Amino acid sequence: MFILTTISDLVQISPEEFQKPSVEAIEDNINAKYANKVIQKIGLCICLYDILKASDGLIGHGTGIVNVNVEFRLVVFRPFKGEIILGRISSASDYGMKVRLDFFDDINVPPNLMFPGSFFNVQEQCWVWNNEGQEYFYDKYEWVRFRVEQEYWHDQSPVAPSERDSTSALERKSPYSITASMMQAGLGPTEWW
């Protein structure tokens, strides 16, 4: 579910941060820049793990900003295909279910990846699995186990100010989303098993 990835970057330390120890200032800048951000084809960055190398700082002319080349490792959320994860159902609709973790909520379970015999109950606003006459409910906020099937990456290109009004929030896609399944024994709400 989590991986370590090595990145090299130029970290800029402003004069206001000179009272901090150098390592602390570098760590704070890296966490501010990368934490809770998606890097294409790498994953969702959680936090800094460690610093591998750092160059001597060079002071920028006229600004007082110290530039440091740093090589570091980040903790990144990127589950592998086939991994079983525990999450909570956040919403349900005709199009499937949304599942969330404490720190990530772009997990979709489409109807074709649920147990055969599953249907959407409009009155209850939840999915129901009909298994040989017994009905099992996928209730909202219930803990579920799901299997990672596929991941999707969407480049978040900047939008020109003149075009922002024409681009609705619905058209913008999440930079990283996961499609999951719940159609194997042991998957679905934990109360079933």
Side-chain angles (χ1 to χ4, degrees), residues 68-84:
V68 182
N69 288 310
V70 183
E71 187 175 328
F72 53 92
R73 292 189 295 179
L74 292 172
V75 176
V76 176
F77 171 71
R78 185 169 184 189
F80 58 86
K81 188 175 179 179
E83 185 171 0
I84 307 295

Side-chain angles (χ1 to χ4, degrees), residues 122-181:
V122 179
Q123 285 182 324
E124 298 284 333
Q125 287 294 302
C126 70
W127 280 86
V128 180
W129 175 36
N130 187 350
N131 183 28
E132 298 174 2
Q134 286 284 106
E135 287 190 342
Y136 299 95
F137 290 82
Y138 294 92
D139 291 322
K140 193 172 180 181
Y141 306 120
E142 196 166 11
W143 287 101
V144 293
R145 281 192 183 87
F146 59 91
R147 181 174 187 248
V148 176
E149 296 296 334
Q150 197 166 5
E151 57 187 5
Y152 295 98
W153 302 94
H154 299 102
D155 187 18
Q156 297 290 302
S157 301
V159 178
S162 60
E163 297 174 12
R164 284 191 186 143
D165 294 334
S166 63
T167 306
S168 71
L170 296 174
E171 290 176 17
R172 293 196 53 89
K173 295 181 178 178
S174 171
Y176 179 52
S177 61
I178 294 171
T179 297
S181 69

